[in-house]
Amino acid sequence: MSPTKETMDTVRIPPAGHDALLASYREALAHTNALTDRISTDQFSADYPERPDWAIGPFRRDDALTFRLEGQWDDPTGVGWTSDSIFNPTVIERGDELHLFYRASPRKESTASRIGHAVRRDGVWHDSPLNPLIYPTFSNEVLGCEDPKVYAVDDGYVLFYNAIWRRDDGSVAVDIMSAVSQDLEHWEKRGLVVPYDVSEYWAKGAVIPRDEHGRAVRIGGEYLMFLSEGCGGRPMVGHSADGLDWSFAEQPYLDLTPLSGSLFEVACAAVDGDRMVLDFFYADEHGDFAAAQALYRLDDPFTQRAVNRGGSLAWGGLQKIGGRWSFAQGWDAPRDSRELYFYREVDA
């Protein structure tokens, strides 16, 4: 799965400059975010108005799995970067280990983010001495590397993340980037995933259907990637034979008419047997933040069969831990406390 130099889009992207990284960090230190000040994980996932058999959740926190980040990482960019918040993680199994990849920011939901990695062995979390795992090295990452999504693909792993940068006209752009690994410990950046004629300089959320162990699932002999934010407002779906190289086409797949709402972003796609469940973030009929899930069959992955209010907003994907669907999030951590909480599906 290792990329060749000839196939890497990053070789055509200039490196990140020190002054630009320093300016990005200073900007992030002044950041406040009204969104995370008013929402909590329980708001979306603790209770569902209805619970059809196919829905995943509701969820309750399992404090035994809480991850806490201690100390500060070394800063390879040399700008004095530090973090005070961790959130939007992804979880994947490897053997008897649980691997956690998470976004660390100078302020919650600020730019200038980095991506870290921790491993749970024998009931104890160990933050990686290699952190930050992914950090800005290219000019299209100057405003941060955010929101990891990790998938087991064939004989290795692919990590997708959002790269944030500012265009010459001052507007902010978001690219989906990828990195590859054989062991979940050492990663090599591979480059741009969604070309600009598709993204129109804004694409987020590399949502690939995956199973309870974090393995990407082929549907109709290929991998699919659901893009829901950006792309000029067009619903786009990616197609790939190997999970590395993607082509994209416009494909409607989600209808919020039954909810009288409008979509913000799809969070994840969970495969359970012959069904697929999309978990997504939307504005309800009152304009309030809400979560919901939609049901599909694997043999017809773009035809919505049902929709139900209530979801996980598990941006990194749902994962079974101890036989129950689970996810992690850090929105609810107290201010200046770098913690990630795990939520597990309650019994029916």
Side-chain angles (χ1 to χ4, degrees):
M1 292 183 61
S2 297
T4 65
K5 184 175 181 180
E6 289 73 25
T7 63
M8 286 182 66
D9 288 326
T10 48
V11 300
R12 297 189 293 274
I13 300 174
H18 179 274
D19 290 348
L21 290 170
L22 179 59
S24 171
Y25 176 54
R26 288 174 174 171
E27 179 182 343
L29 289 175
H31 178 81
T32 60
N33 188 278
L35 173 62
T36 51
D37 287 343
R38 60 176 284 208
I39 64 174
S40 71
T41 303
D42 283 344
Q43 173 184 340
F44 305 106
S45 66
D47 297 288
Y48 294 179
E50 297 181 8
R51 188 179 181 179
D53 291 343
W54 58 267
I56 302 176
F59 298 83
R60 294 289 186 275
R61 186 192 296 184
D62 183 349
D63 290 330
L65 291 171
T66 296
F67 169 72
R68 296 177 179 86
L69 179 60
E70 306 291 343
Q72 292 289 347
W73 302 334
D74 291 338
D75 174 26
T77 67
V79 300
W81 184 92
T82 58
S83 65
D84 84 345
S85 182
I86 57 176
F87 53 102
N88 289 5
T90 187
V91 179
I92 192 167
E93 294 177 319
R94 185 169 188 249
D96 58 359
E97 297 176 340
L98 195 60
H99 289 255
L100 175 70
F101 298 84
Y102 57 91
R103 174 178 170 183
S105 295
R107 298 290 182 265
K108 189 174 290 186
E109 289 286 354
S110 75
T111 53
S113 296
R114 315 291 192 250
I115 293 171
H117 172 223
V119 184
R120 186 175 177 87
R121 301 186 182 97
D122 300 322
V124 178
W125 284 110
H126 305 271
D127 202 48
S128 173
L130 301 177
N131 285 335
L133 189 75
I134 301 289
Y135 60 91
T137 57
F138 294 97
S139 58
N140 71 328
E141 301 171 337
V142 161
L143 295 184
C145 300
E146 305 180 350
D147 302 348
K149 297 179 187 291
V150 176
Y151 303 90
V153 177
D154 296 333
D155 61 346
Y157 303 91
V158 184
L159 182 154
F160 298 91
Y161 63 97
N162 299 332
I164 317 299
W165 56 290
R166 188 169 280 113
R167 301 176 66 190
D168 291 342
D169 63 4
S171 62
V172 173
V174 182
D175 293 340
I176 295 177
M177 304 280 279
S178 68
V180 293
S181 175
Q182 295 296 319
D183 61 5
L184 293 172
E185 303 274 353
H186 303 87
W187 293 83
E188 182 177 4
K189 289 183 179 180
R190 195 169 189 272
L192 189 66
V193 174
V194 184
Y196 292 126
D197 62 346
V198 174
S199 72
E200 299 186 20
Y201 295 95
W202 189 287
K204 292 178 67 177
V207 173
I208 299 172
R210 71 175 197 165
D211 67 13
E212 64 189 65
H213 303 290
R215 295 186 294 249
V217 175
R218 281 191 172 91
I219 297 176
E222 63 181 358
Y223 297 112
L224 301 178
M225 179 188 294
F226 293 88
L227 301 181
S228 55
E229 184 175 335
C231 301
R234 299 168 295 164
M236 303 295 290
V237 173
H239 302 261
S240 175
D242 58 7
L244 299 176
D245 296 308
W246 295 84
S247 61
F248 295 85
E250 186 170 351
Q251 173 65 64
Y253 59 84
L254 189 58
D255 178 14
L256 271 62
T257 303
L259 298 173
S260 300
S262 58
L263 181 66
F264 289 133
E265 187 176 355
V266 172
C268 63
V271 173
D272 188 7
D274 62 358
R275 69 184 184 185
M276 177 181 74
V277 175
L278 289 187
D279 189 292
F280 60 91
F281 183 38
Y282 76 105
D284 68 13
E285 66 273 22
H286 306 295
D288 293 331
F289 296 130
Q293 295 175 349
L295 174 67
Y296 304 79
R297 290 199 322 239
L298 285 190
D299 61 1
D300 191 9
F302 308 129
T303 301
Q304 179 176 308
R305 303 288 167 171
V307 66
N308 187 64
R309 179 158 180 162
S312 67
L313 296 191
W315 305 110
L318 288 160
Q319 172 83 30
K320 279 195 177 179
I321 301 175
R324 287 191 286 171
W325 288 105
S326 306
F327 69 98
Q329 186 51 273
W331 285 340
D332 296 332
R335 190 178 297 274
D336 301 321
S337 176
R338 294 176 299 164
E339 296 179 334
L340 288 172
Y341 304 123
F342 278 73
Y343 298 81
R344 302 174 72 188
E345 187 177 27
V346 298
D347 295 331

